[in-house]
Each structure stands twice: as C-alpha cells, then as structure tokens.
Amino acid sequence: MKPQQVSINEPTSAKRIELLIVPGKSLGPFRLGISLWDTIQFLRDKVFFFPRVDLKYDEKEPLRCPVILTLPQNGIHLWFDASLQRLKGIECFDPTKVKLVYQSTDVSSSRTIPTFLSIYKSFGPTYPGDFDLHQGIYTLNYPGLSFSFPIPAKHHDLYRQSTEMPLEFPDGTTPIASKVYLFPSQCANWVSASLPNLSKTLLEIGEGLKYGKHGRRDVEAVVATVGAGIQLRFPSTSSGKGSKRDSASSGSPAATANDNLVDIRLHHTTVQNILADLGRPSRVFYKEEDKMKIHSVDDQFAFGKNSHAADNGAEDDQELHGPQATDYFLNYFHLGLDILVDGSRHVCKKVILHGNIPGHYDFQRYKRCPYQVILPKKGHDASKKDMLVDVTSDPSDDQVPAHVLTASMKITTMQQRMPWSSGNKITTKASDQSQIEQQKPVILTRGSNEQNPFGSTYLTGYKQGIVMEVMKNGDVPTIVLF
C-alpha cells in the first residue's frame, strides 16, 4: 500500500465550529451517504470554517482501500467507501477542536469536557462497552454512535473481564472521550460500518444539493449497453410526481413504466429529450476538432488517388451546403457523464462515463458515475483463454455475472470478459516464429508534468462501440460508448 496525501485547501487559522450530532445519520453538515465529489465541493465553498483539507488514498488500489478526507484543524476524518465514493463513517479524532452538540446539550466545547459520566447522562443508558486490553481503549456504543475512552494502565485489570462501565475510577477521576465515531445505525459498530440504504439516502441528500434538475441531482445507478446507450436510475419518490412521456416521443420505453428511469439511446435520443429528463447541463462544450479522427480513417483515404478525389468531393459538398455543423458536449458534472450531441441531427452521438478516480487528471471534475456495462453473452464455445482465472483480480469481481463490467474492475478483468477482439492490436513474431497478438494502446497525454503530475494514460477500444481509458495502476477512469 502506497498512500497519497493531497491538500485541497491551503491552511489558515480555523474557527471553532458547532457540529450537531444525529446518531446514525450526520455530524453537522456531513451526511452519511453523501458523495466524495459533493463533500469536496462543499469544503471548497467553506474555506473559512475548514481551512485545510487533506485527501488520503492508496495510489495502487484507490478503488479498494477507503478514501479519507482529513480536516486536521477541525479534528475530523471523513471515511468514504472506495467503490461508490460515498461517506460511510465519520471520525472526530480530536473533540477539543470542535463544539459537539446533541439535542441542545453540549457534548464537547470550550466549557464542556466530554467525560464518560457527562456523555452517559446526555445519551442515556446503553449496553456495556468493549474494552481493548492491547490498546487500553474502552468503547461505549450507541446505535450509530461510539465514544472511545483511554483507560490508564493501572486500571486495566478493573475492566479486563468485568461488565462494569468506567463511570469513575477508584481515584475519583473519570475517563475523557478521545474520539467520537458516527456510522449507519444498522451497523453493529464503527469497524463494520457500511453504506446506508442508498435509495432512501440519495433522495434525502438530493433535496439539499444545488446542482441539476430537482429529482435528478444524484443518480443511483447507470446501466450501459454497448452499441445501444445507457439507462439512468434515480431515487424514486414516494409521491410518484414527475413528468412521464410516451415512448414514441421520448425514445424511452422504460420511462413510461418507471418515472425514476431515464433512457438515452445512441443515435436516437434528441437533445430536447435529454434536457427534459436531466435538466440543464453543468456546461456546454463545442467540439472544435477531433484529435482521434486520424485513427479511424477509412481505407479509401489511405491511398493517394482516392484520397485526393475524396478531398475534392468534401470541398464541393461544403460549397453547396455550407460549413459542417459542430458537435457539442453536454457536461453533467454532478452525474459523472458527458453526452456528445451531433451538430446536424442534434441526437446523442456518444456517452462518456467518468469514474472520478484519485490520481487521475480529471479527479473532482466529475462525480463518480456508478455504472455497469452490459456485454453480449459469450457462446458455449468459449476458448480456454476465456475460462482462465485472473489471479490478480478482486475476489468481489467473481460475484458479478461474466457479461457485466463494473466501475471498480481492473482493465485485465474487463478485457477477459470482452466477447470481441480489441481493434488496436499488432502482430509480432515470438522467438519460436509463432504468431502472437499483443496490445498496442493509444497513449493519451494531457500537458507537461507540471500541468499533469499524474502522467499519461492509454486508450484501448473495440469497434463494437466501446473505448476505455486506463491508468498506470490498471484502473479505468473513463469509458466511452459510441
């Protein structure tokens, strides 16, 4: 594990802030289940209260090890699930740096010390806690909330096998809380903390977000089908309110059955329907040039005579019909996707899904898109190569159907599941003169090392309609469907 730490806000003097404790739900403005992207956006707007923010992640496995946002001057760690990038736990590692309040009662402040006795009085009776003899820590647990109390070594024997609570030591002193943990109420303790029910949580969180259309501010899941398009599933509302358009006008048969589903079909869904379903984009970007066009030139352009004739034909066509219309992107940063719209027909031409992986050039530009890619199922005559087990893959990938790609998979796992051969291959001769195929990726470089300290990535694709950007650690931060 090679951890990385990046400072987001520059350190200045911090003001002691008041944080309301809602067990199992939130600590101040930090709501369990909120995305990493939304949290960083919030912290950037509140530099006065959170002057320094450090991002900690594993450079080699950023999608398998928790991502931590540390607020050192506020004494807080925000723990995010690595795969979904949703807040799963909050750790206040220094209660003296903030004011903690529960039901209008101070738990920790400049005038209130968080002693065991005061906390027990504020939160009420609970089951006996857990004593870790090795660390000398006694943990008092409530549903969705825990307090850690250091126990002096001379008193360890009192709680080694006893069920008594350390309300007061024999010398008359009482333990003082050194840490406060907040986690979902359905979890037994902080160590086993996992994400709360996302559908309900996202619906509640979406009410407080300022990005995008109401009811379309946070996406629950995105299912992509190669060569067809994507379906977005948003948190469903209990009231069932919202617009429903028939499939003939929207090109979305599923939208009539479920108001929380939005279909975007390649080369079919119009920009009007996209705007009606997703709302105004974060930005519209006009595509002035296609730097990848040289890699998709037709065969007729590869020869001199035909190429010259084609160029003359293009010039004549431009004189008759005017300049070619410019394609444009609809950037939905808060949904983690881009939609390329054909400048002439104004229909969806490509869809780009972003993973928001730490260590990538586009990190924090887009929210992580929780996508799954559906592939055609392989036939029963699959080669032995397809049946080999990738010993470097994540064991959790084995629980995913063989024709499905997830946003957390490595490129090696994705390539093994592909039912096609990659278009960017070269043929070389091995030492025994037998023919073997090797991948020859397209290198993608974004500026110099000063502009892009993360280095270059590479692109690999399949002519059936999918291109993947790959980082040096094998993670896939971007998928393009066309």
Side-chain angles (χ1 to χ4, degrees), residues 292 357-363 411 424 440-447 449 452-460 467-479:
M292 294 299 294
I357 300 178
H360 183 254
Y361 181 79
D362 283 336
F363 176 72
I411 185 61
N424 53 336
K440 186 180 181 181
V442 177
I443 305 299
L444 178 61
T445 302
R446 296 181 174 93
N449 291 335
N452 178 23
F454 304 112
S456 59
T457 56
Y458 71 87
L459 305 175
T460 181
V467 174
M468 295 167 288
E469 181 185 2
V470 186
M471 299 170 62
K472 293 179 180 179
N473 59 11
D475 287 322
V476 179
T478 309
I479 282 186

Side-chain angles (χ1 to χ4, degrees), residues 320-340:
L320 290 174
H321 303 286
Q324 185 177 3
T326 303
D327 296 344
Y328 52 96
F329 286 97
L330 303 180
N331 304 126
Y332 288 93
F333 300 136
H334 59 286
L335 300 179
L337 58 87
D338 296 321
I339 300 173
L340 178 63

Side-chain angles (χ1 to χ4, degrees), residues 353-368:
L353 309 175
H354 297 273
N356 194 41
I357 300 178
H360 183 254
Y361 181 79
D362 283 336
F363 176 72
Q364 192 50 29
R365 181 171 297 181
Y366 296 86
K367 184 184 295 186
R368 181 165 175 78

Side-chain angles (χ1 to χ4, degrees), residues 9 42 130 164 198 228 276-277 333 346 375 394 410 465 481:
N9 291 344
F42 169 79
D130 303 315
E164 294 293 328
L198 275 185
D277 283 329
F333 300 136
H346 299 287
L375 304 171
D394 193 311
K410 295 281 188 179
L481 302 173

Side-chain angles (χ1 to χ4, degrees), residues 98-408:
V98 291
K99 180 180 180 181
L100 301 178
V101 179
Y102 175 70
Q103 295 183 346
S104 303
T105 301
D106 290 358
V107 176
S108 176
S109 66
S110 58
R111 293 180 294 181
T112 304
I113 300 175
T115 63
F116 194 104
L117 186 58
S118 65
I119 289 174
Y120 192 81
K121 288 182 177 179
S122 298
F123 292 90
T126 186
Y127 297 100
D130 303 315
F131 179 60
D132 187 330
L133 181 62
H134 178 69
Q135 296 183 351
I137 299 294
Y138 187 96
T139 303
L140 184 65
N141 298 310
Y142 290 91
L145 188 68
S146 293
F147 297 89
S148 292
F149 300 88
I151 304 297
K154 61 182 179 180
H155 299 309
H156 283 184
D157 291 339
L158 296 176
Y159 309 101
R160 187 190 301 268
Q161 297 178 343
S162 174
T163 58
E164 294 293 328
M165 293 185 177
L167 294 174
E168 189 177 78
F169 294 134
D171 59 4
T173 61
T174 181
I176 298 176
S178 60
K179 293 182 179 180
V180 181
Y181 300 96
L182 193 139
F183 50 91
S185 298
Q186 76 270 15
C187 301
N189 50 51
W190 159 260
V191 178
S192 62
S194 59
L195 290 174
N197 182 284
L198 275 185
S199 183
K200 179 181 178 181
T201 303
L202 296 185
L203 194 62
E204 297 173 355
I205 291 175
E207 299 296 328
L209 301 179
K210 59 182 180 180
Y211 315 102
K213 180 181 178 181
H214 180 74
R216 298 285 190 264
R217 293 170 179 166
D218 221 336
V219 64
E220 187 173 347
V222 176
V223 178
T225 304
V226 178
I230 63 173
Q231 183 180 80
L232 299 94
R233 185 173 79 241
F234 293 93
S236 58
T237 58
S238 57
S239 61
K241 294 181 180 180
S243 61
K244 293 185 179 181
R245 294 179 283 105
D246 62 311
S247 59
S249 63
S250 66
S252 308
T256 61
N258 298 282
D259 187 48
N260 63 321
L261 298 180
V262 173
D263 281 359
I264 299 178
R265 299 168 59 185
L266 294 170
H267 312 292
H268 183 85
T269 304
T270 65
V271 66
Q272 291 89 347
N273 289 335
I274 294 173
L275 295 176
D277 283 329
L278 302 183
R280 180 181 178 182
S282 309
R283 188 183 67 174
V284 177
F285 177 77
Y286 286 87
K287 186 179 180 183
E288 298 179 356
E289 58 180 339
D290 188 353
K291 295 182 179 179
M292 294 299 294
K293 188 175 182 180
I294 190 173
H295 295 285
S296 60
V297 178
D298 294 334
D299 291 340
Q300 63 173 337
F301 294 97
F303 304 96
K305 183 177 180 180
N306 291 339
S307 177
H308 182 70
D311 290 341
N312 289 338
E315 292 176 1
D316 294 340
D317 185 70
Q318 183 169 337
E319 291 178 0
L320 290 174
H321 303 286
Q324 185 177 3
T326 303
D327 296 344
Y328 52 96
F329 286 97
L330 303 180
N331 304 126
Y332 288 93
F333 300 136
H334 59 286
L335 300 179
L337 58 87
D338 296 321
I339 300 173
L340 178 63
V341 179
D342 187 287
S344 300
R345 300 175 55 223
H346 299 287
V347 296
C348 173
K349 190 174 181 180
K350 295 180 182 179
V351 176
I352 305 175
L353 309 175
H354 297 273
N356 194 41
I357 300 178
H360 183 254
Y361 181 79
D362 283 336
F363 176 72
Q364 192 50 29
R365 181 171 297 181
Y366 296 86
K367 184 184 295 186
R368 181 165 175 78
C369 181
Y371 66 81
Q372 286 189 342
V373 180
I374 308 300
L375 304 171
K377 293 184 179 180
K378 295 183 179 180
H380 295 291
D381 58 343
S383 64
K384 292 182 179 180
K385 178 181 178 181
D386 296 329
M387 294 185 289
L388 293 177
V389 177
D390 180 13
V391 295
T392 62
S393 65
D394 193 311
S396 61
D397 294 341
D398 299 334
Q399 308 300 321
V400 180
H403 66 288
V404 176
L405 308 180
T406 67
S408 299

